[in-house]
Amino acid sequence: MWNIPNTLTAFRLCLIPIFLFIFYLPSQWAFFAAAFVFWLASITDILDGYLARRLNQSTPFGAFLDPVADKVMVSAALVVLVGHYQSAWMTVPALIIIGREIVISALREWMAEQGKRGEVAVSQLGKVKTAAQMLAIIGLIWQFQPWMVTLSYILLYIATILTFGSMVQYLMAARHSFFAREG
C-alpha cells in the first residue's frame, strides 16, 4: 500500500495545511512561498500517476486517494483565493470548478455501482483543464506582477470553460445509464 506513488499522494495531502498556514502569514514572501507549496503539490500530482504506471505500482488505495488529494488541494486553494480577492470574478469560477468536482465524483461513484466505471474515465480534456487550472491558481496565489494576475485570470476562465465542457462530456457519456430501465 505504501509505495512511492501513494507516498507522494499522501505527501500532497500533508502539503495542504502547510499551504494554508503560509498563505495567511503576514509576510512579503508568504504569497511566493504558498505558490511554491501549491506548485510542489501539483508536481506530485503529475509524478504519482506517472510513477504508478511506470513502476507498475497502481493500487486500489492510490486510485481512491489520488483524486481525493487533487480535489481537496484545488478546493482549498480556490476557497482561500475567493476570500483573498473577494470578487465575483473569482467566486463564480471557483463555484463552477468545485461544483463540477462534486458532480463528477458523484457520477463516478454512481457509475461504479452500475458496473460502468469505465464509461466515465479521465479524458484528455480533463487533463488540459487540470493544467490550465493549476497554472492559474499558482499565478493567482503568487500575484507577483499585475500582468501575472491578469494572465492567471485568463487561464482560470479557460479552465472554467474546460471544466464545464468536461462535465458535459462525462454526463453525455453516462446519459444512457441515467435513462436505462431497471429489471
PDB file of all heavy atoms in Angstrom, residues 6 8-14 16 38 41 44-45 48 60-77 101-102 104-106 108-109 117 122 133-134:
ATOM      1  N   ASN A   6       1.862   6.279  -3.849  1.00  0.00           N
ATOM      2  CA  ASN A   6       0.931   6.545  -2.744  1.00  0.00           C
ATOM      3  C   ASN A   6       1.544   7.456  -1.691  1.00  0.00           C
ATOM      4  O   ASN A   6       0.849   8.280  -1.085  1.00  0.00           O
ATOM      5  CB  ASN A   6       0.453   5.246  -2.109  1.00  0.00           C
ATOM      6  CG  ASN A   6      -0.448   4.459  -3.025  1.00  0.00           C
ATOM      7  OD1 ASN A   6      -0.878   4.939  -4.064  1.00  0.00           O
ATOM      8  ND2 ASN A   6      -0.730   3.219  -2.660  1.00  0.00           N
ATOM      9  N   LEU A   8       3.718   9.827  -2.365  1.00  0.00           N
ATOM     10  CA  LEU A   8       3.643  11.169  -2.957  1.00  0.00           C
ATOM     11  C   LEU A   8       2.237  11.759  -2.820  1.00  0.00           C
ATOM     12  O   LEU A   8       2.085  12.949  -2.535  1.00  0.00           O
ATOM     13  CB  LEU A   8       4.033  11.120  -4.437  1.00  0.00           C
ATOM     14  CG  LEU A   8       5.515  10.982  -4.740  1.00  0.00           C
ATOM     15  CD1 LEU A   8       5.735  10.726  -6.231  1.00  0.00           C
ATOM     16  CD2 LEU A   8       6.278  12.218  -4.289  1.00  0.00           C
ATOM     17  N   THR A   9       1.222  10.920  -3.007  1.00  0.00           N
ATOM     18  CA  THR A   9      -0.158  11.395  -2.862  1.00  0.00           C
ATOM     19  C   THR A   9      -0.428  11.812  -1.421  1.00  0.00           C
ATOM     20  O   THR A   9      -1.027  12.871  -1.176  1.00  0.00           O
ATOM     21  CB  THR A   9      -1.151  10.301  -3.306  1.00  0.00           C
ATOM     22  OG1 THR A   9      -0.873   9.951  -4.662  1.00  0.00           O
ATOM     23  CG2 THR A   9      -2.582  10.785  -3.191  1.00  0.00           C
ATOM     24  N   ALA A  10       0.020  11.014  -0.462  1.00  0.00           N
ATOM     25  CA  ALA A  10      -0.160  11.360   0.949  1.00  0.00           C
ATOM     26  C   ALA A  10       0.614  12.636   1.290  1.00  0.00           C
ATOM     27  O   ALA A  10       0.127  13.489   2.046  1.00  0.00           O
ATOM     28  CB  ALA A  10       0.298  10.205   1.838  1.00  0.00           C
ATOM     29  N   PHE A  11       1.796  12.780   0.702  1.00  0.00           N
ATOM     30  CA  PHE A  11       2.592  13.994   0.899  1.00  0.00           C
ATOM     31  C   PHE A  11       1.820  15.213   0.396  1.00  0.00           C
ATOM     32  O   PHE A  11       1.816  16.274   1.030  1.00  0.00           O
ATOM     33  CB  PHE A  11       3.934  13.848   0.175  1.00  0.00           C
ATOM     34  CG  PHE A  11       4.797  15.080   0.206  1.00  0.00           C
ATOM     35  CD1 PHE A  11       5.319  15.553   1.411  1.00  0.00           C
ATOM     36  CD2 PHE A  11       5.097  15.761  -0.963  1.00  0.00           C
ATOM     37  CE1 PHE A  11       6.124  16.691   1.438  1.00  0.00           C
ATOM     38  CE2 PHE A  11       5.893  16.892  -0.944  1.00  0.00           C
ATOM     39  CZ  PHE A  11       6.413  17.356   0.256  1.00  0.00           C
ATOM     40  N   ARG A  12       1.135  15.073  -0.750  1.00  0.00           N
ATOM     41  CA  ARG A  12       0.333  16.164  -1.298  1.00  0.00           C
ATOM     42  C   ARG A  12      -0.755  16.571  -0.305  1.00  0.00           C
ATOM     43  O   ARG A  12      -1.000  17.752  -0.104  1.00  0.00           O
ATOM     44  CB  ARG A  12      -0.270  15.754  -2.649  1.00  0.00           C
ATOM     45  CG  ARG A  12      -1.042  16.859  -3.304  1.00  0.00           C
ATOM     46  CD  ARG A  12      -1.287  16.635  -4.776  1.00  0.00           C
ATOM     47  NE  ARG A  12      -2.162  15.527  -5.090  1.00  0.00           N
ATOM     48  CZ  ARG A  12      -1.773  14.374  -5.602  1.00  0.00           C
ATOM     49  NH1 ARG A  12      -0.514  14.150  -5.873  1.00  0.00           N
ATOM     50  NH2 ARG A  12      -2.660  13.435  -5.860  1.00  0.00           N
ATOM     51  N   LEU A  13      -1.386  15.611   0.318  1.00  0.00           N
ATOM     52  CA  LEU A  13      -2.398  15.928   1.335  1.00  0.00           C
ATOM     53  C   LEU A  13      -1.774  16.664   2.519  1.00  0.00           C
ATOM     54  O   LEU A  13      -2.375  17.597   3.059  1.00  0.00           O
ATOM     55  CB  LEU A  13      -3.081  14.649   1.820  1.00  0.00           C
ATOM     56  CG  LEU A  13      -4.192  14.112   0.930  1.00  0.00           C
ATOM     57  CD1 LEU A  13      -4.627  12.729   1.402  1.00  0.00           C
ATOM     58  CD2 LEU A  13      -5.378  15.065   0.898  1.00  0.00           C
ATOM     59  N   CYS A  14      -0.578  16.262   2.906  1.00  0.00           N
ATOM     60  CA  CYS A  14       0.106  16.926   4.024  1.00  0.00           C
ATOM     61  C   CYS A  14       0.524  18.356   3.678  1.00  0.00           C
ATOM     62  O   CYS A  14       0.672  19.193   4.575  1.00  0.00           O
ATOM     63  CB  CYS A  14       1.340  16.130   4.442  1.00  0.00           C
ATOM     64  SG  CYS A  14       0.948  14.527   5.172  1.00  0.00           S
ATOM     65  N   ILE A  16      -1.297  20.506   2.148  1.00  0.00           N
ATOM     66  CA  ILE A  16      -2.454  21.415   2.177  1.00  0.00           C
ATOM     67  C   ILE A  16      -2.442  22.304   3.419  1.00  0.00           C
ATOM     68  O   ILE A  16      -2.534  23.526   3.289  1.00  0.00           O
ATOM     69  CB  ILE A  16      -3.777  20.634   2.018  1.00  0.00           C
ATOM     70  CG1 ILE A  16      -3.827  20.003   0.624  1.00  0.00           C
ATOM     71  CG2 ILE A  16      -4.987  21.547   2.239  1.00  0.00           C
ATOM     72  CD1 ILE A  16      -4.908  18.958   0.446  1.00  0.00           C
ATOM     73  N   PHE A  38       2.026  25.092  -3.426  1.00  0.00           N
ATOM     74  CA  PHE A  38       0.978  24.611  -4.328  1.00  0.00           C
ATOM     75  C   PHE A  38       1.601  24.016  -5.593  1.00  0.00           C
ATOM     76  O   PHE A  38       1.156  22.979  -6.085  1.00  0.00           O
ATOM     77  CB  PHE A  38       0.003  25.736  -4.692  1.00  0.00           C
ATOM     78  CG  PHE A  38      -1.195  25.231  -5.441  1.00  0.00           C
ATOM     79  CD1 PHE A  38      -2.311  24.764  -4.762  1.00  0.00           C
ATOM     80  CD2 PHE A  38      -1.202  25.199  -6.825  1.00  0.00           C
ATOM     81  CE1 PHE A  38      -3.404  24.278  -5.449  1.00  0.00           C
ATOM     82  CE2 PHE A  38      -2.291  24.715  -7.521  1.00  0.00           C
ATOM     83  CZ  PHE A  38      -3.395  24.252  -6.837  1.00  0.00           C
ATOM     84  N   ALA A  41       2.902  20.618  -4.742  1.00  0.00           N
ATOM     85  CA  ALA A  41       1.785  19.678  -4.671  1.00  0.00           C
ATOM     86  C   ALA A  41       1.326  19.297  -6.085  1.00  0.00           C
ATOM     87  O   ALA A  41       1.015  18.132  -6.342  1.00  0.00           O
ATOM     88  CB  ALA A  41       0.633  20.290  -3.873  1.00  0.00           C
ATOM     89  N   THR A  44       3.689  16.774  -7.535  1.00  0.00           N
ATOM     90  CA  THR A  44       3.479  15.418  -7.003  1.00  0.00           C
ATOM     91  C   THR A  44       2.258  14.775  -7.644  1.00  0.00           C
ATOM     92  O   THR A  44       2.217  13.553  -7.797  1.00  0.00           O
ATOM     93  CB  THR A  44       3.318  15.401  -5.468  1.00  0.00           C
ATOM     94  OG1 THR A  44       2.112  16.064  -5.096  1.00  0.00           O
ATOM     95  CG2 THR A  44       4.511  16.017  -4.761  1.00  0.00           C
ATOM     96  N   ASP A  45       1.276  15.573  -8.049  1.00  0.00           N
ATOM     97  CA  ASP A  45       0.100  15.044  -8.742  1.00  0.00           C
ATOM     98  C   ASP A  45       0.507  14.431 -10.079  1.00  0.00           C
ATOM     99  O   ASP A  45       0.031  13.361 -10.458  1.00  0.00           O
ATOM    100  CB  ASP A  45      -0.929  16.158  -8.938  1.00  0.00           C
ATOM    101  CG  ASP A  45      -2.202  15.669  -9.598  1.00  0.00           C
ATOM    102  OD1 ASP A  45      -2.512  14.456  -9.493  1.00  0.00           O
ATOM    103  OD2 ASP A  45      -2.899  16.486 -10.210  1.00  0.00           O
ATOM    104  N   ASP A  48       2.966  11.184  -9.178  1.00  0.00           N
ATOM    105  CA  ASP A  48       2.418   9.954  -8.610  1.00  0.00           C
ATOM    106  C   ASP A  48       1.740   9.091  -9.667  1.00  0.00           C
ATOM    107  O   ASP A  48       1.919   7.877  -9.704  1.00  0.00           O
ATOM    108  CB  ASP A  48       1.519  10.212  -7.403  1.00  0.00           C
ATOM    109  CG  ASP A  48       0.259  10.995  -7.712  1.00  0.00           C
ATOM    110  OD1 ASP A  48      -0.047  11.243  -8.885  1.00  0.00           O
ATOM    111  OD2 ASP A  48      -0.429  11.373  -6.750  1.00  0.00           O
ATOM    112  N   PRO A  60      -5.512  -0.040  -5.506  1.00  0.00           N
ATOM    113  CA  PRO A  60      -6.855   0.494  -5.233  1.00  0.00           C
ATOM    114  C   PRO A  60      -6.809   1.680  -4.263  1.00  0.00           C
ATOM    115  O   PRO A  60      -7.544   2.649  -4.429  1.00  0.00           O
ATOM    116  CB  PRO A  60      -7.593  -0.700  -4.616  1.00  0.00           C
ATOM    117  CG  PRO A  60      -6.866  -1.902  -5.128  1.00  0.00           C
ATOM    118  CD  PRO A  60      -5.428  -1.479  -5.258  1.00  0.00           C
ATOM    119  N   PHE A  61      -5.917   1.622  -3.269  1.00  0.00           N
ATOM    120  CA  PHE A  61      -5.773   2.728  -2.327  1.00  0.00           C
ATOM    121  C   PHE A  61      -5.337   4.001  -3.054  1.00  0.00           C
ATOM    122  O   PHE A  61      -5.870   5.088  -2.826  1.00  0.00           O
ATOM    123  CB  PHE A  61      -4.768   2.359  -1.226  1.00  0.00           C
ATOM    124  CG  PHE A  61      -4.541   3.449  -0.223  1.00  0.00           C
ATOM    125  CD1 PHE A  61      -5.552   3.856   0.628  1.00  0.00           C
ATOM    126  CD2 PHE A  61      -3.298   4.068  -0.128  1.00  0.00           C
ATOM    127  CE1 PHE A  61      -5.348   4.865   1.561  1.00  0.00           C
ATOM    128  CE2 PHE A  61      -3.081   5.077   0.803  1.00  0.00           C
ATOM    129  CZ  PHE A  61      -4.099   5.473   1.641  1.00  0.00           C
ATOM    130  N   GLY A  62      -4.383   3.880  -3.955  1.00  0.00           N
ATOM    131  CA  GLY A  62      -3.924   5.029  -4.732  1.00  0.00           C
ATOM    132  C   GLY A  62      -5.008   5.562  -5.651  1.00  0.00           C
ATOM    133  O   GLY A  62      -5.157   6.775  -5.809  1.00  0.00           O
ATOM    134  N   ALA A  63      -5.778   4.652  -6.257  1.00  0.00           N
ATOM    135  CA  ALA A  63      -6.875   5.068  -7.137  1.00  0.00           C
ATOM    136  C   ALA A  63      -7.935   5.845  -6.358  1.00  0.00           C
ATOM    137  O   ALA A  63      -8.599   6.725  -6.908  1.00  0.00           O
ATOM    138  CB  ALA A  63      -7.500   3.840  -7.808  1.00  0.00           C
ATOM    139  N   PHE A  64      -8.094   5.528  -5.080  1.00  0.00           N
ATOM    140  CA  PHE A  64      -9.019   6.274  -4.229  1.00  0.00           C
ATOM    141  C   PHE A  64      -8.396   7.591  -3.767  1.00  0.00           C
ATOM    142  O   PHE A  64      -9.006   8.650  -3.860  1.00  0.00           O
ATOM    143  CB  PHE A  64      -9.402   5.431  -2.999  1.00  0.00           C
ATOM    144  CG  PHE A  64      -9.928   6.243  -1.857  1.00  0.00           C
ATOM    145  CD1 PHE A  64     -11.210   6.776  -1.899  1.00  0.00           C
ATOM    146  CD2 PHE A  64      -9.137   6.512  -0.750  1.00  0.00           C
ATOM    147  CE1 PHE A  64     -11.694   7.558  -0.858  1.00  0.00           C
ATOM    148  CE2 PHE A  64      -9.613   7.283   0.295  1.00  0.00           C
ATOM    149  CZ  PHE A  64     -10.897   7.808   0.241  1.00  0.00           C
ATOM    150  N   LEU A  65      -7.165   7.535  -3.239  1.00  0.00           N
ATOM    151  CA  LEU A  65      -6.557   8.683  -2.579  1.00  0.00           C
ATOM    152  C   LEU A  65      -6.160   9.797  -3.544  1.00  0.00           C
ATOM    153  O   LEU A  65      -6.294  10.985  -3.209  1.00  0.00           O
ATOM    154  CB  LEU A  65      -5.337   8.234  -1.768  1.00  0.00           C
ATOM    155  CG  LEU A  65      -4.763   9.240  -0.791  1.00  0.00           C
ATOM    156  CD1 LEU A  65      -5.806   9.610   0.268  1.00  0.00           C
ATOM    157  CD2 LEU A  65      -3.512   8.682  -0.120  1.00  0.00           C
ATOM    158  N   ASP A  66      -5.692   9.460  -4.741  1.00  0.00           N
ATOM    159  CA  ASP A  66      -5.210  10.475  -5.677  1.00  0.00           C
ATOM    160  C   ASP A  66      -6.282  11.506  -6.031  1.00  0.00           C
ATOM    161  O   ASP A  66      -6.039  12.703  -5.900  1.00  0.00           O
ATOM    162  CB  ASP A  66      -4.642   9.815  -6.934  1.00  0.00           C
ATOM    163  CG  ASP A  66      -4.108  10.846  -7.910  1.00  0.00           C
ATOM    164  OD1 ASP A  66      -3.196  11.610  -7.528  1.00  0.00           O
ATOM    165  OD2 ASP A  66      -4.610  10.897  -9.044  1.00  0.00           O
ATOM    166  N   PRO A  67      -7.484  11.087  -6.471  1.00  0.00           N
ATOM    167  CA  PRO A  67      -8.479  12.116  -6.781  1.00  0.00           C
ATOM    168  C   PRO A  67      -8.949  12.896  -5.561  1.00  0.00           C
ATOM    169  O   PRO A  67      -9.286  14.074  -5.665  1.00  0.00           O
ATOM    170  CB  PRO A  67      -9.635  11.347  -7.431  1.00  0.00           C
ATOM    171  CG  PRO A  67      -9.369   9.917  -7.204  1.00  0.00           C
ATOM    172  CD  PRO A  67      -7.940   9.750  -6.836  1.00  0.00           C
ATOM    173  N   VAL A  68      -8.941  12.256  -4.396  1.00  0.00           N
ATOM    174  CA  VAL A  68      -9.313  12.967  -3.165  1.00  0.00           C
ATOM    175  C   VAL A  68      -8.295  14.073  -2.894  1.00  0.00           C
ATOM    176  O   VAL A  68      -8.660  15.219  -2.636  1.00  0.00           O
ATOM    177  CB  VAL A  68      -9.408  11.995  -1.964  1.00  0.00           C
ATOM    178  CG1 VAL A  68      -9.524  12.755  -0.658  1.00  0.00           C
ATOM    179  CG2 VAL A  68     -10.576  11.043  -2.151  1.00  0.00           C
ATOM    180  N   ALA A  69      -7.017  13.731  -2.975  1.00  0.00           N
ATOM    181  CA  ALA A  69      -5.958  14.716  -2.731  1.00  0.00           C
ATOM    182  C   ALA A  69      -6.061  15.872  -3.731  1.00  0.00           C
ATOM    183  O   ALA A  69      -5.929  17.042  -3.351  1.00  0.00           O
ATOM    184  CB  ALA A  69      -4.586  14.050  -2.821  1.00  0.00           C
ATOM    185  N   ASP A  70      -6.313  15.547  -4.992  1.00  0.00           N
ATOM    186  CA  ASP A  70      -6.435  16.594  -6.020  1.00  0.00           C
ATOM    187  C   ASP A  70      -7.578  17.549  -5.703  1.00  0.00           C
ATOM    188  O   ASP A  70      -7.427  18.761  -5.747  1.00  0.00           O
ATOM    189  CB  ASP A  70      -6.696  15.973  -7.401  1.00  0.00           C
ATOM    190  CG  ASP A  70      -5.564  15.083  -7.859  1.00  0.00           C
ATOM    191  OD1 ASP A  70      -4.466  15.172  -7.285  1.00  0.00           O
ATOM    192  OD2 ASP A  70      -5.783  14.304  -8.803  1.00  0.00           O
ATOM    193  N   LYS A  71      -8.733  16.982  -5.395  1.00  0.00           N
ATOM    194  CA  LYS A  71      -9.925  17.804  -5.166  1.00  0.00           C
ATOM    195  C   LYS A  71      -9.801  18.650  -3.903  1.00  0.00           C
ATOM    196  O   LYS A  71     -10.185  19.821  -3.892  1.00  0.00           O
ATOM    197  CB  LYS A  71     -11.166  16.930  -5.127  1.00  0.00           C
ATOM    198  CG  LYS A  71     -11.548  16.453  -6.523  1.00  0.00           C
ATOM    199  CD  LYS A  71     -12.436  15.241  -6.492  1.00  0.00           C
ATOM    200  CE  LYS A  71     -12.691  14.651  -7.858  1.00  0.00           C
ATOM    201  NZ  LYS A  71     -11.568  14.566  -8.768  1.00  0.00           N
ATOM    202  N   VAL A  72      -9.229  18.088  -2.853  1.00  0.00           N
ATOM    203  CA  VAL A  72      -9.058  18.847  -1.611  1.00  0.00           C
ATOM    204  C   VAL A  72      -8.031  19.958  -1.814  1.00  0.00           C
ATOM    205  O   VAL A  72      -8.234  21.097  -1.373  1.00  0.00           O
ATOM    206  CB  VAL A  72      -8.674  17.922  -0.431  1.00  0.00           C
ATOM    207  CG1 VAL A  72      -8.344  18.721   0.815  1.00  0.00           C
ATOM    208  CG2 VAL A  72      -9.791  16.930  -0.150  1.00  0.00           C
ATOM    209  N   MET A  73      -6.950  19.651  -2.527  1.00  0.00           N
ATOM    210  CA  MET A  73      -5.912  20.644  -2.771  1.00  0.00           C
ATOM    211  C   MET A  73      -6.466  21.828  -3.579  1.00  0.00           C
ATOM    212  O   MET A  73      -6.298  22.989  -3.207  1.00  0.00           O
ATOM    213  CB  MET A  73      -4.750  19.992  -3.524  1.00  0.00           C
ATOM    214  CG  MET A  73      -3.626  20.934  -3.877  1.00  0.00           C
ATOM    215  SD  MET A  73      -2.304  20.122  -4.803  1.00  0.00           S
ATOM    216  CE  MET A  73      -3.070  19.911  -6.404  1.00  0.00           C
ATOM    217  N   VAL A  74      -7.132  21.539  -4.679  1.00  0.00           N
ATOM    218  CA  VAL A  74      -7.677  22.598  -5.538  1.00  0.00           C
ATOM    219  C   VAL A  74      -8.774  23.369  -4.810  1.00  0.00           C
ATOM    220  O   VAL A  74      -8.815  24.597  -4.855  1.00  0.00           O
ATOM    221  CB  VAL A  74      -8.182  22.009  -6.874  1.00  0.00           C
ATOM    222  CG1 VAL A  74      -8.997  23.023  -7.652  1.00  0.00           C
ATOM    223  CG2 VAL A  74      -7.005  21.519  -7.709  1.00  0.00           C
ATOM    224  N   SER A  75      -9.651  22.657  -4.119  1.00  0.00           N
ATOM    225  CA  SER A  75     -10.743  23.327  -3.389  1.00  0.00           C
ATOM    226  C   SER A  75     -10.199  24.253  -2.313  1.00  0.00           C
ATOM    227  O   SER A  75     -10.681  25.380  -2.160  1.00  0.00           O
ATOM    228  CB  SER A  75     -11.693  22.299  -2.780  1.00  0.00           C
ATOM    229  OG  SER A  75     -12.318  21.542  -3.796  1.00  0.00           O
ATOM    230  N   ALA A  76      -9.206  23.794  -1.563  1.00  0.00           N
ATOM    231  CA  ALA A  76      -8.615  24.638  -0.515  1.00  0.00           C
ATOM    232  C   ALA A  76      -8.021  25.905  -1.121  1.00  0.00           C
ATOM    233  O   ALA A  76      -8.231  27.016  -0.612  1.00  0.00           O
ATOM    234  CB  ALA A  76      -7.544  23.859   0.247  1.00  0.00           C
ATOM    235  N   ALA A  77      -7.301  25.756  -2.231  1.00  0.00           N
ATOM    236  CA  ALA A  77      -6.692  26.925  -2.871  1.00  0.00           C
ATOM    237  C   ALA A  77      -7.766  27.879  -3.397  1.00  0.00           C
ATOM    238  O   ALA A  77      -7.659  29.099  -3.211  1.00  0.00           O
ATOM    239  CB  ALA A  77      -5.778  26.479  -4.012  1.00  0.00           C
ATOM    240  N   GLU A 101     -16.475  19.252  -9.625  1.00  0.00           N
ATOM    241  CA  GLU A 101     -15.778  18.146  -8.953  1.00  0.00           C
ATOM    242  C   GLU A 101     -16.745  17.302  -8.134  1.00  0.00           C
ATOM    243  O   GLU A 101     -16.642  16.075  -8.107  1.00  0.00           O
ATOM    244  CB  GLU A 101     -14.631  18.678  -8.085  1.00  0.00           C
ATOM    245  CG  GLU A 101     -13.525  19.376  -8.858  1.00  0.00           C
ATOM    246  CD  GLU A 101     -12.877  18.528  -9.941  1.00  0.00           C
ATOM    247  OE1 GLU A 101     -12.957  17.277  -9.887  1.00  0.00           O
ATOM    248  OE2 GLU A 101     -12.280  19.103 -10.858  1.00  0.00           O
ATOM    249  N   ILE A 102     -17.695  17.951  -7.478  1.00  0.00           N
ATOM    250  CA  ILE A 102     -18.689  17.220  -6.689  1.00  0.00           C
ATOM    251  C   ILE A 102     -19.586  16.391  -7.614  1.00  0.00           C
ATOM    252  O   ILE A 102     -19.834  15.207  -7.358  1.00  0.00           O
ATOM    253  CB  ILE A 102     -19.517  18.192  -5.825  1.00  0.00           C
ATOM    254  CG1 ILE A 102     -18.618  18.826  -4.754  1.00  0.00           C
ATOM    255  CG2 ILE A 102     -20.716  17.484  -5.189  1.00  0.00           C
ATOM    256  CD1 ILE A 102     -19.234  20.019  -4.047  1.00  0.00           C
ATOM    257  N   ILE A 104     -18.979  15.279 -10.694  1.00  0.00           N
ATOM    258  CA  ILE A 104     -18.254  14.184 -11.343  1.00  0.00           C
ATOM    259  C   ILE A 104     -17.892  13.094 -10.346  1.00  0.00           C
ATOM    260  O   ILE A 104     -17.945  11.902 -10.670  1.00  0.00           O
ATOM    261  CB  ILE A 104     -17.012  14.710 -12.095  1.00  0.00           C
ATOM    262  CG1 ILE A 104     -17.433  15.673 -13.208  1.00  0.00           C
ATOM    263  CG2 ILE A 104     -16.180  13.564 -12.669  1.00  0.00           C
ATOM    264  CD1 ILE A 104     -18.480  15.118 -14.183  1.00  0.00           C
ATOM    265  N   SER A 105     -17.552  13.453  -9.117  1.00  0.00           N
ATOM    266  CA  SER A 105     -17.278  12.430  -8.098  1.00  0.00           C
ATOM    267  C   SER A 105     -18.520  11.588  -7.845  1.00  0.00           C
ATOM    268  O   SER A 105     -18.449  10.356  -7.761  1.00  0.00           O
ATOM    269  CB  SER A 105     -16.813  13.080  -6.794  1.00  0.00           C
ATOM    270  OG  SER A 105     -15.562  13.683  -6.973  1.00  0.00           O
ATOM    271  N   ALA A 106     -19.665  12.249  -7.726  1.00  0.00           N
ATOM    272  CA  ALA A 106     -20.915  11.514  -7.508  1.00  0.00           C
ATOM    273  C   ALA A 106     -21.241  10.649  -8.728  1.00  0.00           C
ATOM    274  O   ALA A 106     -21.676   9.501  -8.583  1.00  0.00           O
ATOM    275  CB  ALA A 106     -22.054  12.500  -7.230  1.00  0.00           C
ATOM    276  N   ARG A 108     -19.126   9.337 -10.926  1.00  0.00           N
ATOM    277  CA  ARG A 108     -18.219   8.178 -10.967  1.00  0.00           C
ATOM    278  C   ARG A 108     -18.623   7.125  -9.943  1.00  0.00           C
ATOM    279  O   ARG A 108     -18.579   5.927 -10.228  1.00  0.00           O
ATOM    280  CB  ARG A 108     -16.776   8.637 -10.734  1.00  0.00           C
ATOM    281  CG  ARG A 108     -16.196   9.331 -11.933  1.00  0.00           C
ATOM    282  CD  ARG A 108     -14.734   9.621 -11.740  1.00  0.00           C
ATOM    283  NE  ARG A 108     -14.189  10.234 -12.942  1.00  0.00           N
ATOM    284  CZ  ARG A 108     -13.339  11.241 -12.944  1.00  0.00           C
ATOM    285  NH1 ARG A 108     -12.920  11.745 -11.812  1.00  0.00           N
ATOM    286  NH2 ARG A 108     -12.892  11.740 -14.078  1.00  0.00           N
ATOM    287  N   GLU A 109     -19.003   7.570  -8.764  1.00  0.00           N
ATOM    288  CA  GLU A 109     -19.446   6.619  -7.738  1.00  0.00           C
ATOM    289  C   GLU A 109     -20.702   5.882  -8.205  1.00  0.00           C
ATOM    290  O   GLU A 109     -20.799   4.659  -8.096  1.00  0.00           O
ATOM    291  CB  GLU A 109     -19.725   7.353  -6.421  1.00  0.00           C
ATOM    292  CG  GLU A 109     -20.173   6.431  -5.314  1.00  0.00           C
ATOM    293  CD  GLU A 109     -20.467   7.180  -4.029  1.00  0.00           C
ATOM    294  OE1 GLU A 109     -19.984   8.314  -3.864  1.00  0.00           O
ATOM    295  OE2 GLU A 109     -21.178   6.615  -3.181  1.00  0.00           O
ATOM    296  N   ARG A 117     -17.998   1.919 -14.577  1.00  0.00           N
ATOM    297  CA  ARG A 117     -17.000   2.919 -14.196  1.00  0.00           C
ATOM    298  C   ARG A 117     -16.159   3.381 -15.386  1.00  0.00           C
ATOM    299  O   ARG A 117     -15.809   4.541 -15.502  1.00  0.00           O
ATOM    300  CB  ARG A 117     -16.100   2.337 -13.093  1.00  0.00           C
ATOM    301  CG  ARG A 117     -14.934   3.206 -12.683  1.00  0.00           C
ATOM    302  CD  ARG A 117     -15.408   4.295 -11.748  1.00  0.00           C
ATOM    303  NE  ARG A 117     -14.306   4.895 -11.030  1.00  0.00           N
ATOM    304  CZ  ARG A 117     -13.762   6.038 -11.367  1.00  0.00           C
ATOM    305  NH1 ARG A 117     -14.182   6.714 -12.388  1.00  0.00           N
ATOM    306  NH2 ARG A 117     -12.775   6.542 -10.662  1.00  0.00           N
ATOM    307  N   VAL A 122     -11.092   9.334 -17.033  1.00  0.00           N
ATOM    308  CA  VAL A 122     -10.482  10.646 -17.241  1.00  0.00           C
ATOM    309  C   VAL A 122     -10.199  10.849 -18.731  1.00  0.00           C
ATOM    310  O   VAL A 122      -9.672   9.965 -19.395  1.00  0.00           O
ATOM    311  CB  VAL A 122      -9.183  10.769 -16.420  1.00  0.00           C
ATOM    312  CG1 VAL A 122      -8.473  12.076 -16.711  1.00  0.00           C
ATOM    313  CG2 VAL A 122      -9.482  10.641 -14.943  1.00  0.00           C
ATOM    314  N   GLN A 133      -5.863  24.994 -14.923  1.00  0.00           N
ATOM    315  CA  GLN A 133      -6.320  25.307 -13.564  1.00  0.00           C
ATOM    316  C   GLN A 133      -5.147  25.466 -12.601  1.00  0.00           C
ATOM    317  O   GLN A 133      -5.097  26.422 -11.821  1.00  0.00           O
ATOM    318  CB  GLN A 133      -7.224  24.153 -13.124  1.00  0.00           C
ATOM    319  CG  GLN A 133      -7.868  24.267 -11.795  1.00  0.00           C
ATOM    320  CD  GLN A 133      -8.802  23.084 -11.607  1.00  0.00           C
ATOM    321  OE1 GLN A 133      -9.933  23.119 -12.031  1.00  0.00           O
ATOM    322  NE2 GLN A 133      -8.312  22.030 -10.984  1.00  0.00           N
ATOM    323  N   MET A 134      -4.196  24.555 -12.656  1.00  0.00           N
ATOM    324  CA  MET A 134      -3.042  24.614 -11.752  1.00  0.00           C
ATOM    325  C   MET A 134      -2.197  25.856 -12.030  1.00  0.00           C
ATOM    326  O   MET A 134      -1.789  26.552 -11.089  1.00  0.00           O
ATOM    327  CB  MET A 134      -2.178  23.355 -11.884  1.00  0.00           C
ATOM    328  CG  MET A 134      -2.867  22.083 -11.465  1.00  0.00           C
ATOM    329  SD  MET A 134      -3.502  22.163  -9.792  1.00  0.00           S
ATOM    330  CE  MET A 134      -4.066  20.511  -9.578  1.00  0.00           C
TER     331      MET A 134
END
